[in-house]
Structures are given as C-alpha cells and as structure tokens.
Amino acid sequence: ISQPKKMQKKDELIEACKKGKIEEVEKLIEEGWNINVKDEVFWTPLVASSFFKQITIVKKLLSQQGIEVNSTHTGGQTCFFQ
C-alpha cells in the first residue's frame, strides 16, 4: 500500500531534518510544505532537528514565520528538551 503524496512529503521533511539535509529542507520549505507538521509520534521538523543536533536546520526553522516552538511530542517535551 503506498502512502498519499502529502504523507510521503511530511515524512520526507522530518527525515531530512533528522539527517541534516539542509538543501532538501530548504527545498521543501520553499515548496510550501507545513513546517509544523507532526509525524505519528508528534515530532515536528523542529523537534526532529533539535533531537539530532542539526543546528543549521534548527536555525533555519526558527527563522521561519509561524514556526511553533512550544509544540510537544508524545513524551510531552518540546524542541528544547535536554
């Protein structure tokens, strides 16, 4: 069963954030994909990039208008967890 295209893109954005793929993240943002999208465990691109210490991507996301910094994942933590 294939996922809908929007689901694939959501996963693609979060995966790119986890892996530090700044060019891909910038491309997806430029294409208008939701920077506050959540995956199945409620991770956002900002939470994912923060957790994996992808500082360049964290800075890029924080510079975006409308970024939600207080969004929590299933563990109840935000992107500012330790």
Side-chain angles (χ1 to χ4, degrees):
I1 299 173
S2 66
Q3 292 180 326
K5 223 168 192 25
K6 195 161 192 156
M7 178 66 78
Q8 290 172 344
K9 288 287 188 174
K10 172 187 78 169
D11 294 343
E12 186 177 332
L13 177 57
I14 292 172
E15 286 301 310
C17 289
K18 288 178 184 178
K19 295 176 181 175
K21 296 182 176 181
I22 185 66
E23 295 86 10
E24 188 174 342
V25 170
E26 289 173 337
K27 177 181 159 258
L28 294 170
I29 290 172
E30 206 171 285
E31 289 177 2
W33 289 97
N34 182 356
I35 56 173
N36 296 307
V37 68
K38 294 182 178 186
D39 67 8
E40 63 279 350
V41 292
F42 298 99
W43 274 32
T44 63
L46 185 57
V47 169
S49 57
S50 176
F51 182 82
F52 287 98
K53 298 178 178 37
Q54 303 296 348
I55 303 306
T56 303
I57 294 177
V58 169
K59 288 178 181 179
K60 176 69 178 179
L61 291 169
L62 287 174
S63 74
Q64 301 300 302
Q65 185 173 10
I67 190 73
E68 294 177 11
V69 297
N70 293 317
S71 182
T72 59
H73 62 76
T74 53
Q77 297 172 311
T78 68
C79 64
F80 301 109
F81 55 87
Q82 295 182 13

